[in-house]
Amino acid sequence: MDIKIEKKKGLQRKHILWIAGGLLFIFLLVKIIAGAGTKTLKVDRDKITISNVTRGQFNDYIRVSGQVEPIATIYLDAEEGGRVKERLIEEGATVKAGDIILRLENRTLYQEIMSSESNLAQKENMLRQTRINFENQMIETRRRLLASTFDIQKKKRNFNQQQALYEDKLIPAETYITAKEDYEHAIQEQEINRLKAQNDSMIMVSEMTQLTTDLAKMRQTLQLVYERLNNLNVKAPVDGQLGMLDAEIGQSIGQGTRIGQINVLTNFKVQAMIDEHYIDRVRHGLSGTLERQDKSYNLNIRKVYPEVRQGQFRIDMVFEGDKPDNIRTGQTYYINLELGQPQEAVMLPRGGFFQSTGGQWVYVLDKSGEFATRRSIRIGKQNPQFYEVIEGLNPGEQVITSGYENFGDNDRLVFN
């Protein structure tokens, strides 16, 4: 008779094979889907630089190179034009205020002086003659007034006599009237002479006043001409060092021409050029430090120039306290300029990748260290050593920081 065979319960071997095959298929399918559209490039790990992302104190500073300049530069301009007659001091020499550096000569100026002196002498003679004429005229006026007074006295006496005789009817009326008219005429004539004397005096005084004023102006003009003559001696306006002198014996120099400069060496400043990217953060009073001869020196920004030229703007820094020994004009110093206070931040070492990505993305290594993938990040401040990472990276991760020029637009880098 037939024996009934019961089905075996539980997973059988073929079922396990089916499940394993299905899982393998799903894994491969996921890998294919995940890798779809992802560009991969193989790179040699020995030819790249890998840096660690860290968290620490971020020092907000930039490193700038500056050149030592005198604290002030006084320019020498020719106040008076002329031909260089003598050169007394050479470039690089130390000068004191008032020292004569150049002597010029100007024959046209000499002629102007002679002409001014001649005009002044003529004006003085004219004033002298006017005074003499005025004194003579006053004497003549007094003489006329004296004569008219004497004439009035005579005619008054005659008038009184004729009036008495006329009242006694001893003379005719015509004689009396004639004496009266002569007396009144003398009085009027004296008044006219007095008015004329006053007018003549006022005119002469006004004329002498004008001549005196003109004479004073001519003296002032002559004094200015003498000063111009003195300006033919080009003098040092301050103590310092003659830094440049562009004038040779026999050379003709026009008025206002810049012929040299004096460097004031009582102190020094450091002049530096900074990228315009920092123009909103650099301001008067910021501090900086420089290292020289194993010693640190402090500086402060004294002036920020607003003009931007070729992507840079200029600042002047002065030493606060000690300055380096044997400091010389033209020396180059490298200064760490503090832009802000230190603060905790996620930091990424600087590298060539920034030139390719602008700091917008980087290649981040997988935990296995076998490949790196592209990731977007955001960078904030930067200093000569680190970038401040605002988002996109965590401390402990590793990033390729060398240049990305050979990686193209690949999203994934696999290491050989």
Side-chain angles (χ1 to χ4, degrees):
M1 63 183 288
D2 295 332
I3 299 173
K4 184 178 181 180
I5 301 175
E6 296 181 358
K7 294 183 179 180
K8 294 181 180 180
K9 295 181 179 181
L11 293 175
Q12 299 181 13
R13 183 177 180 182
K14 61 179 181 180
H15 295 158
I16 295 175
L17 294 176
W18 291 346
I19 293 172
L23 291 175
L24 179 61
F25 174 76
I26 293 172
F27 175 76
L28 293 175
L29 183 62
V30 170
K31 293 288 287 183
I32 293 172
I33 294 174
T38 301
K39 297 181 180 179
T40 302
L41 177 69
K42 291 184 178 181
V43 298
D44 189 349
R45 184 165 185 153
D46 295 335
K47 295 183 179 180
I48 61 175
T49 301
I50 298 174
S51 302
N52 293 323
V53 180
T54 59
R55 184 175 185 85
Q57 189 180 64
F58 180 81
N59 296 312
D60 189 10
Y61 73 96
I62 57 175
R63 190 169 179 83
V64 298
S65 62
Q67 193 171 46
V68 177
E69 299 286 347
I71 191 65
T73 299
I74 308 299
Y75 294 103
L76 292 176
D77 295 340
E79 296 185 46
E80 192 65 42
R83 187 178 66 86
V84 179
K85 181 180 180 181
E86 190 175 3
R87 179 167 167 160
L88 303 176
I89 301 177
E90 296 299 326
E91 295 180 6
T94 301
V95 296
K96 297 289 185 181
D99 288 351
I100 299 177
I101 299 173
L102 291 176
R103 294 188 191 275
L104 308 178
E105 64 175 1
N106 187 330
R107 297 189 179 278
T108 302
L109 183 58
Y110 300 152
Q111 293 176 357
E112 290 183 16
I113 293 175
M114 294 178 62
S115 176
S116 297
E117 290 176 339
S118 176
N119 291 336
L120 179 62
Q122 291 179 4
K123 211 71 170 179
E124 288 177 337
N125 291 333
M126 187 180 298
L127 178 60
R128 189 180 303 109
Q129 187 62 43
T130 301
R131 285 175 176 168
I132 294 173
N133 293 339
F134 176 70
E135 292 175 358
N136 292 335
Q137 188 172 350
M138 291 298 294
I139 293 172
E140 185 63 28
T141 299
R142 293 191 189 99
R143 184 182 290 112
R144 284 198 302 267
L145 289 175
L146 180 62
S148 63
T149 301
F150 181 70
D151 187 49
I152 288 174
Q153 291 176 353
K154 288 173 49 178
K155 291 181 177 179
K156 181 180 181 182
R157 186 170 59 251
N158 181 56
F159 168 68
N160 291 334
Q161 292 174 354
Q162 298 301 325
Q163 184 178 21
L165 293 172
Y166 176 70
E167 289 176 351
D168 294 336
K169 299 181 187 274
L170 299 176
I171 59 174
E174 181 65 26
T175 303
Y176 165 70
I177 293 172
T178 300
K180 181 181 179 181
E181 289 176 347
D182 289 343
Y183 173 59
E184 292 175 349
H185 178 267
I187 293 175
Q188 293 176 359
E189 185 175 7
Q190 186 184 46
E191 184 63 24
I192 291 173
N193 287 334
R194 185 178 292 110
L195 291 175
K196 183 177 184 303
Q198 291 178 353
N199 290 338
D200 289 347
S201 176
M202 292 175 60
I203 292 173
M204 294 298 292
V205 169
S206 176
E207 185 175 351
M208 285 195 299
T209 301
Q210 184 62 43
L211 284 172
T212 302
T213 302
D214 293 345
L215 193 61
K217 290 181 178 179
M218 291 189 69
R219 288 196 179 100
Q220 291 177 355
T221 301
L222 185 60
Q223 183 62 35
L224 292 175
V225 175
Y226 284 145
E227 289 179 4
R228 291 180 59 191
L229 183 63
N230 187 52
N231 289 337
L232 290 176
N233 294 327
V234 180
K235 300 177 181 179
V238 294
D239 296 350
Q241 183 185 53
L242 185 60
M244 180 195 75
L245 186 61
D246 184 16
E248 301 296 336
I249 295 178
Q251 178 181 349
S252 294
I253 297 176
Q255 186 177 16
T257 302
R258 179 156 297 171
I259 56 178
Q261 69 181 44
I262 294 178
N263 299 324
V264 180
L265 302 181
T266 55
N267 203 347
F268 294 89
K269 64 182 179 182
V270 179
Q271 194 172 87
M273 302 299 294
I274 300 179
D275 191 278
E276 62 179 332
H277 171 76
Y278 299 100
I279 194 168
D280 294 330
R281 304 190 62 198
V282 176
R283 63 186 185 278
H284 177 274
L286 287 182
S287 61
T289 58
L290 69 86
E291 301 291 333
R292 187 170 178 83
Q293 299 172 348
D294 298 328
K295 188 176 180 180
S296 179
Y297 299 93
N298 298 323
L299 302 96
N300 284 327
I301 294 181
R302 186 181 72 167
K303 185 175 182 180
V304 179
Y305 295 84
E307 300 86 0
V308 177
R309 297 181 180 178
Q310 297 181 351
Q312 293 181 314
F313 65 97
R314 189 174 67 178
I315 64 169
D316 288 342
M317 305 188 72
V318 294
F319 288 95
E320 182 181 4
D322 295 337
K323 51 182 175 286
D325 296 333
N326 298 323
I327 187 171
R328 292 290 185 270
T329 299
Q331 286 180 319
T332 299
Y333 290 154
Y334 294 94
I335 302 166
N336 294 332
L337 180 62
E338 299 289 341
L339 300 179
Q341 296 297 323
Q343 59 184 6
E344 285 288 320
V346 176
M347 298 182 296
L348 177 65
R350 294 177 67 97
F353 75 93
F354 193 88
Q355 282 68 36
S356 301
T357 71
Q360 297 180 353
W361 58 271
V362 291
Y363 286 111
V364 183
L365 270 69
D366 182 69
K367 292 182 178 180
S368 64
E370 297 178 355
F371 62 92
T373 56
R374 177 170 171 166
R375 185 190 299 178
S376 296
I377 64 171
R378 189 156 66 95
I379 286 177
K381 301 173 184 176
Q382 53 182 289
N383 64 30
Q385 294 177 309
F386 296 99
Y387 297 107
E388 177 193 23
V389 181
I390 298 177
E391 62 180 36
L393 293 175
N394 297 311
E397 291 185 306
Q398 293 184 309
V399 175
I400 299 176
T401 54
S402 52
Y404 291 178
E405 294 82 4
N406 299 325
F407 297 163
D409 58 351
N410 292 281
D411 299 312
R412 184 179 184 189
L413 303 179
V414 177
F415 302 132
N416 290 330

